[in-house]
Each structure stands twice: as structure tokens, then as C-alpha cells.
Amino acid sequence: MAVLSKIRQKSALLIAVIGIALLAFVIGDVVRSTGGGLSRNVGSINGEEINTQEFLHKVAQAEKNGQMSNTQASVAVWNSEVNNILLTTEFEKLGLRIGKDQLVNVVKNNPNFANNPEFLNQLGQFDVNKFNQFVLMMKQAGQEQWNAWLAYEKELEKVGLEQMYFSLIQGGIYTTQTEAKASYLADNSKVSFDYVTVPYSTVNNEEAAVSDAAIIDYMKKHENRFKSETTRELQYAFLASKPSDSDKDAVKETIESLLQPRVQYNAETKKNDTIPGFKTIKDVESFVNANSDIKFDSLYYAKKDLPLEYQEELFNLQPGQVFGPYVMGDYYCVSRLLDKKPGQRVDAAHILITYAGSAAPGSTRTKEEAKAKAEEILKKVQEAPATFAAVATVETEDPGSKNNGGKYEDIPNGQMVKPFNDFIFNNPVGKIGLVETDFGYHVIQVINKKEGAKLATVALKIEVSDATADELFTKATTLEQDAASANDFIMTAKGLGFDTQNDVTVRPFEEFLPGVGNQRSIVAWAFNKDTKDGTIKRFDNADGHIIVKLKSKNDTGLMPIEEVKPFIEPILMNEKKAQIIKQKMTGKTIEEVSANSKASIASVSEVSLNAPLITNIGNEPLVVGTAFATAVNQNSNLIDGAKGVYMVKTKNVANAPELPNYNSYKAKVENGVRNMAQMRVMKALKDNAKIKDNRIGVIQ
């Protein structure tokens, strides 16, 4: 619950909070570490080397403060290092520097400061004097804290320089009136034409088959589009560690035995005692805690909060009645109803009015002003209770309920702060009143109270037995041994009951594999220099056994064929099909081509360059562009379109009328280019940089 679920820490902890924020800024520079260790650099950008020790230090900080995995942190830090080096070089070329006033502007826009009330004045605006006081506090907090701040300040300077750099680039982008006019004409000029087409689909794929060699050749010709890290292609089989039917039956038998009395030898009396079963035991809590894998729960639950599959059976029990055994997730359960009480869950709505100094930050009104406003709202909603939700939507300062008319549902006793909790549980449905908490003043409406059921449940986890675990391990080792000589690894695994994945492409710093989740150790193994093509290895974990085969390595610097085939194969196949189709699309006019190819003539009316849609076919920009370029009543040459081969005969070109100016189109084009500028600049810098990545050999 956004405002009421807990009381926030006071501003006395500001320095500690900001200190954490400083460490969280881990993608930039941190205090340099020195000393020995790994001798090889983790990589270089245009000859500037990235020290391995410093890199690993940053990765550790990112992993800790960013709550990410080591691999994710490594990727994030590497990308940041590349960007920082490339941009710093650009800053130095241009002689960019950042002054104190510019740095303050960066701070103003940083959410660590801009959204923190400790740095705002009474008008909610950033207060430079408060910020300067904070910097002084940081300096007086000790050398370690001060060094952290100085490192953070350097990162703020980099942010400011980046903003300046990209602003300069965006400011230099200009769209001419000619470009603006071209954009206008592409939207508004229309062409109408007749056409004849033979679709590519009329030629069988077998007649235009594309080889892997042709796909590789295409990638080499368009290398910039298909650049890739080194990759590995894997096959693997997964045998989940799941309880067998025998394991499930054994747990069910055990839990059923707990329902009935049982005889147990008493070592002290040297006699057999009869222990009551779950159905009749009086000390239910002790029985549950002694026999269940999930401890006793004393809460009352509304019907809607019970497991959906067994809601009716559980809630409709009479006190003392037992339901089960039943399966819930990984557990066999039996439940006994202990009690039912009305009013155990409450639906309530509130309107929170805060004040300066309350636990809800951001308010500038005094406590007296807040109370006066709350009393005014109370009077208003008491006179018209039906308006409570509407008034709450406008007036409440609790963001957690503002969009829901101030309403919270199914509130259990004890969840809210005490004054709020006491009001909703001690007053009848419909009551509207005012209470004060540490968060401010609450105008509260009790909307509904629900009956609650108190259930005792014995739950035994259904786990893999030792016998089943041995059986699964034997099956996994059998596949591992047989796979090396098997003609078809995947079919062999399927025959043994494994789930399989075929032709899975992985990159050096990936973690997740389809069907088996996070398997970083498998990816690292696949990229180990000692792992050869065809190598097979078994990986055991809590979820089961994975038998992996390294099918192939790809160190070409181009994307794997299987990844690009869905994109490249249709292009090359359609080129072959076009040559086949053109052999029967003979003639100099669409009438002759229609007769020779037995394809009918169709018409298109008023299409534009920016919306080149041919009815029942789809977008055909080259075809529409050719129609614009062909003289009226003239036939074009054959056109290799997106969906087939075409010939067009232009009937009419309606050029858009001249405008006094094209300023709206100029702004549209200019904004589009500016919005893409940062991404395109970074891509250009990386494409033209000499980036050497040693991470696989050094840290993996």
C-alpha cells in the first residue's frame, strides 16, 4: 500500500540515502583500484585499453547496486565503457567543457535531487543553496564519502557533456524547403495506374532453392547489416527432476495417516500411547507445526482469498470438518475449519491530506491547514456519501488509491497504522469519519465487511525420493554415454523421454536457454576454447539434468545462417523466381504481357509514395514509385516487386498543389531526424571504431 503500508524513514538519513545513490551510479567511473592480478586487458577501443581489474571492480559494483546478475553487469559495464571512450574522444576533439552553472542544471534534472523534498524550496522548486549545503555535508562526512561524491560529480559532468554534445548535433540538423516539399508531395501526390502481375507464389520453392553458400555470400556483400559476435549452436536434452507417481502416492498415504489416531510408543511410561489424528486433535496449532511443512497460520481469510480450485469446499466447511487430501502446487494438503467470524476483512476508502513534516513527503501546508481542509472534506462527504469516490479521486494525496476512488479492498486486521485500523474495524459499514496518523489526516469511509474463515492446514511437500533421483540420474548418464555414438542426438534423447531443443544459437554473454532458464555455466562451457565441435557434457542442477552437445562454432563475425535464413532466403528465392516468371511475362504492353502470362489486368487508384498500398496485395513501394516515374499512357518495364513481378501503365498523376510554405512538413522531417540523431551517431561511432573485445579469453 503506497502511503499507509509503512512509515518512511526521516530526512536524518539523507546522507546515507544519497550515499547509496552515488554507489548506484555504477556504470560510470568509480574510484580506481590498483595492484596485480589479471595481466591482460579486457579490451580496447581505438587503442585505448580497458584495464581488467578496474573493469571487474565496476562489474562487482554494478552487480551489487543494480541488483543484476554478474553477466548482466558485465554487459552493462562493457557497453558503458565503449560509449564513454568514444564520446570522450569526441568531447576532446570539440574542446567541450562544462561549467559550474551547467553542472547545477544537470543536478536539477537528476531525479535523485529533483524529486527529493530535501532539495526543494516552499514552492517545490530546486534550491541551489540547499544543494550546496548538502555538498558541504558530504565533504564533512569523511574522506570516503567525499571521494564517492567527487566520483559521482564526474559522472554528472559526463552527463552534462553528453547533453551538450548531442544538443550541438541536433542543433546542426537542418531541413531545407526542398526536403520539406518532397515530404509533402510524397504524402499528397496521387497516382492511378493499371497493372499486371504474376505473384512469386506461383513458382514452387523447390524450383528456386537457395543454398547456404548463397546466404553466406549475401551476408558478406551486406556485412554491416549482418555483423555479429561469435556464436555457438547447441543441441540439448532436459530431464526434469520431478516426483514420480510412486512419490506422490507415498506422500498422499502419509498425509492420510495423519487424519486418524495412531499408536506411538512412549519411552518414559514404556507403554503405547494413542495419539489423536488431525480430525480430532485439540491442540491443532501444535499438531500442524509438528507435522506440516508449512507452519500454522492464524489469520482469517475471505472466501475470495482461498485457493480458487477449492474455494467452495473450504469456505463451506463447518467448524471441525476436514477437507482433503487435495493437491495445491507442490503440496498434498488436508484442511480443517477452526472458526468463522464476521468482519474479518474490510473494504474501506480514504482521502489523505498531508502536511509539511508528516511521513508522506512533498506537502508544504501546515498541520493546521491540513486539518481544516480535511474537516471541510469530511463535512462535504458526510452530506453526500455517494460522492466519496469522486471527491477522493480529486483530493486524496495517497497515490496508491487515488485512481481507485481512495478504495482499498480486503484489508486484514492489523495491516494499517493503528488509528486507521481501529476506525475501520470498530465502526459499522457506512460510517464516515476523520482520523490522524503520522501520514496526515484521513477522511475514511467503511464500505464493506466480510466474513473470514480460519483454517488449519497440514501440507506435505511432494518431493523426489532417493529412488526416483537415482533413476533419473541413471537415465541422464545413459544418454550422455550413448549420445557420442548416436546418429541423431535429438531423436535418441526423445526416445528416452527427454525434452529437447535443437539448433539453439547462443552468444558469449547470454544466460537464458529456451526451456531450461538461466544456464550461464552451459554458455560459458560452449565458449571455452577447449570445447570442440561435437563435444557432449552433462549438467546437473536442482531442476534436473541437461545433456548438451556443441553442434558448431561460428567465429566468422557474421550472424548464424539459421538466424538470418528467414530474412535472406525469401529475398534470394524471389530473385530466382522473378527470372523464371519473366520468361513468360513477354511483351511490351500490359495487354501483351497479360495475354502471354494469362494474368488479368487490374487497376489502382490514387495511391501515394508514402502509402504505396495495392489492394489485396500489400505495400509495393517500387511498383508505385515506377508508376509515378512513368509517363501517362505509357507502359513500364518489368518490375521486381515485393510480392511478384509487375508491369504498370500509368493512367493519371495528380500532383499535390503548391503551398505558400512547407513549414509544418519541415518541422515534421526535422524532428524525426533529430529524434534519431543520438542513436545514429552512436552507431556510426561504433561502426568506425576499432573495438577489440577480449572478455571471453580474459574473464570467462
Side-chain angles (χ1 to χ4, degrees):
M1 183 174 173
V3 171
L4 298 177
S5 61
K6 62 180 180 179
I7 298 176
R8 296 180 180 177
Q9 298 296 321
K10 302 297 183 181
S11 59
L13 298 176
L14 174 64
I15 292 179
V17 171
I18 295 298
I20 292 171
L22 304 186
L23 289 176
F25 209 124
V26 293
I27 300 305
D29 284 344
V30 296
V31 180
R32 302 296 187 186
S33 63
T34 60
L38 300 173
S39 59
R40 188 177 174 193
N41 286 312
V42 78
S44 64
I45 291 85
N46 291 331
E48 184 172 342
E49 296 179 336
I50 301 173
N51 180 272
T52 300
Q53 290 284 18
E54 293 177 3
F55 180 84
L56 292 177
H57 181 61
K58 293 180 183 182
V59 169
Q61 289 290 336
E63 185 179 1
K64 176 182 176 182
N65 298 312
Q67 294 184 335
M68 60 182 77
S69 71
N70 181 267
T71 303
Q72 291 169 333
S74 176
V75 171
V77 172
W78 172 260
N79 290 336
S80 177
E81 290 294 293
V82 172
N83 290 347
N84 282 340
I85 291 172
L86 292 175
L87 287 173
T88 299
T89 302
E90 295 300 302
F91 302 158
E92 291 172 355
K93 285 180 184 176
L94 296 171
L96 295 184
R97 298 289 184 272
I98 188 166
K100 183 177 179 181
D101 291 342
Q102 292 166 313
L103 183 60
V104 171
N105 284 331
V106 174
V107 171
K108 285 181 181 179
N109 294 315
N110 187 296
N112 286 328
F113 302 99
N115 298 335
N116 192 322
E118 298 297 331
F119 296 102
L120 307 180
N121 60 25
Q122 290 184 346
L123 299 176
Q125 299 171 333
F126 183 82
D127 191 322
V128 175
N129 291 327
K130 288 187 175 183
F131 171 72
N132 288 334
Q133 290 173 6
F134 163 73
V135 175
L136 181 60
M137 289 168 60
M138 295 294 291
K139 189 171 185 178
Q140 295 171 346
Q143 193 62 44
E144 184 178 351
Q145 196 78 0
W146 180 239
N147 287 341
W149 167 254
L150 292 177
Y152 184 63
E153 193 174 86
K154 287 184 179 295
E155 290 307 320
L156 293 175
E157 289 178 5
K158 286 183 181 180
V159 171
L161 287 170
E162 282 188 29
Q163 292 174 352
M164 190 188 305
Y165 175 71
F166 288 114
S167 293
L168 287 171
I169 291 174
Q170 290 172 338
I173 293 171
Y174 181 78
T175 300
T176 65
Q177 286 291 323
T178 300
E179 291 170 315
K181 182 178 180 180
S183 177
Y184 162 74
L185 293 176
D187 272 349
N188 296 285
S189 294
K190 309 291 183 182
V191 65
S192 299
F193 58 91
D194 292 335
Y195 70 91
V196 60
T197 182
V198 176
Y200 295 132
S201 59
T202 59
V203 179
N204 292 329
N205 289 347
E206 291 76 12
E207 295 181 66
V210 176
S211 67
D212 288 351
I215 292 175
I216 293 172
D217 187 55
Y218 184 90
M219 282 196 287
K220 288 179 178 178
K221 290 178 181 176
H222 305 84
E223 190 172 332
N224 282 341
R225 289 170 54 190
F226 299 102
K227 280 183 179 179
S228 173
E229 302 170 273
T230 181
T231 62
R232 300 292 182 263
E233 193 170 328
L234 305 178
Q235 295 175 313
Y236 53 89
F238 175 57
L239 186 63
S241 182
K242 293 180 179 178
S244 66
D245 289 341
S246 297
D247 295 337
K248 296 175 185 177
D249 291 341
V251 176
K252 184 180 181 182
E253 184 178 332
T254 301
I255 205 165
E256 284 175 336
S257 71
L258 294 174
L259 293 171
Q260 306 301 329
R262 65 185 189 277
V263 176
Q264 182 174 301
Y265 179 73
N266 189 324
E268 292 182 5
T269 64
K270 297 182 180 180
K271 294 181 181 180
N272 289 330
D273 292 339
T274 300
I275 308 299
F278 186 54
K279 286 183 177 181
T280 58
I281 190 76
K282 291 183 179 179
D283 188 357
V284 177
E285 181 175 349
S286 295
F287 185 94
V288 170
N289 288 336
N291 294 283
S292 176
D293 290 331
I294 299 176
K295 298 305 179 184
F296 181 78
D297 183 356
S298 62
L299 293 179
Y300 285 80
Y301 288 92
K303 183 178 179 179
K304 67 180 285 295
D305 296 324
L306 296 175
L308 182 62
E309 300 95 315
Y310 308 107
Q311 232 171 51
E312 295 295 332
E313 293 87 344
L314 291 170
F315 198 78
N316 292 330
L317 289 172
Q318 296 301 311
Q321 282 189 322
V322 172
F323 173 72
Y326 61 94
V327 176
M328 267 304 298
D330 295 331
Y331 293 85
Y332 252 118
C333 306
V334 287
S335 296
R336 175 177 162 183
L337 182 69
L338 301 182
D339 189 23
K340 272 188 180 178
K341 282 185 180 179
Q344 294 303 300
R345 295 287 174 126
V346 177
D347 294 345
H350 81 133
I351 301 168
L352 173 64
I353 305 300
T354 64
Y355 54 84
S358 67
S363 181
T364 57
R365 69 171 67 89
T366 65
K367 185 174 182 179
E368 292 73 21
E369 290 171 337
K371 184 177 181 181
K373 181 172 183 178
E375 288 173 341
E376 180 185 339
I377 293 173
L378 174 65
K379 182 179 178 181
K380 182 178 180 180
V381 295
Q382 282 180 331
E383 291 174 352
T387 66
F388 194 100
V391 174
T393 301
V394 175
E395 298 287 358
T396 189
E397 292 166 2
D398 172 18
S401 64
K402 187 176 184 67
N403 295 330
N404 196 32
K407 186 177 181 181
Y408 286 104
E409 295 182 318
D410 289 325
I411 305 168
N413 200 345
Q415 177 176 303
M416 300 299 191
V417 289
K418 192 174 188 310
F420 193 108
N421 188 81
D422 290 348
F423 183 90
I424 64 175
F425 279 95
N426 296 336
N427 283 290
V429 172
K431 179 70 175 177
I432 298 176
L434 178 65
V435 302
E436 180 186 355
T437 74
D438 289 341
F439 296 96
Y441 290 94
H442 306 257
V443 179
I444 304 175
Q445 181 184 46
V446 182
I447 298 172
N448 189 24
K449 294 192 173 185
K450 302 172 184 177
E451 185 179 32
K454 183 178 181 181
L455 291 159
T457 299
V458 176
L460 297 181
K461 191 167 185 180
I462 306 168
E463 296 183 301
V464 176
S465 65
D466 289 343
T468 299
D470 289 344
E471 182 182 333
L472 294 172
F473 182 77
T474 299
K475 189 179 287 189
T477 54
T478 299
L479 176 60
E480 182 184 20
Q481 293 166 3
D482 294 348
S485 58
N487 292 327
D488 190 323
F489 172 78
I490 294 296
M491 290 304 297
T492 302
K494 285 182 176 179
L496 291 171
F498 284 71
D499 294 326
T500 61
Q501 294 285 340
N502 195 22
D503 298 336
V504 175
T505 299
V506 294
R507 287 171 170 75
F509 298 99
E510 291 181 341
E511 295 178 299
F512 290 89
L513 297 179
V516 292
N518 191 327
Q519 299 294 338
R520 178 62 198 157
S521 60
I522 293 178
V523 178
W525 166 81
F527 283 92
N528 188 295
K529 61 183 177 60
D530 295 328
T531 305
K532 309 300 182 185
D533 285 2
T535 303
I536 294 168
K537 183 176 174 62
R538 187 189 76 251
F539 292 84
D540 305 316
N541 56 43
D543 296 322
H545 307 281
I546 309 170
I547 315 301
V548 188
K549 179 177 182 179
L550 177 59
K551 187 176 179 182
S552 63
K553 297 181 179 183
N554 173 23
D555 298 321
T556 64
L558 297 174
M559 295 175 68
I561 289 179
E562 293 305 318
E563 276 191 17
V564 299
K565 184 174 283 189
F567 307 101
I568 298 177
E569 188 176 50
I571 295 171
L572 299 180
M573 188 173 285
N574 287 344
E575 288 178 0
K576 287 189 171 186
K577 289 182 176 183
Q579 298 306 313
I580 296 170
I581 289 170
K582 286 177 181 178
Q583 292 177 10
K584 59 182 178 182
M585 289 183 73
T586 56
K588 295 184 178 180
T589 66
I590 62 171
E591 291 80 12
E592 292 175 1
V593 171
S594 174
N596 292 331
S597 63
K598 297 182 171 53
S600 59
I601 295 173
S603 298
V604 176
S605 298
E606 297 188 339
V607 293
S608 68
L609 283 174
N610 281 350
L613 182 66
I614 298 180
T615 306
N616 298 325
I617 294 179
N619 281 328
E620 286 287 3
L622 186 58
V623 176
V624 172
T626 302
F628 269 106
T630 302
V632 173
N633 294 324
Q634 295 298 309
N635 295 277
S636 71
N637 294 323
L638 292 177
I639 309 159
D640 293 356
K643 302 294 177 61
V645 180
Y646 296 77
M647 178 180 280
V648 302
K649 182 177 182 180
T650 302
K651 295 195 296 185
N652 181 58
V653 176
N655 288 315
E658 296 279 338
L659 297 180
N661 65 70
Y662 301 93
N663 292 340
S664 62
Y665 279 86
K666 182 178 184 294
K668 176 183 173 183
V669 174
E670 214 161 75
N671 288 336
V673 176
R674 283 176 177 168
N675 290 338
M676 297 292 289
Q678 183 167 337
M679 182 187 72
R680 288 179 175 176
V681 167
M682 291 310 305
K683 184 179 185 305
L685 290 175
K686 289 177 183 178
D687 286 345
N688 289 282
K690 293 180 179 178
I691 299 176
K692 189 174 182 179
D693 186 351
N694 299 328
R695 284 178 294 167
I696 296 177
V698 175
I699 64 174
Q700 179 162 292

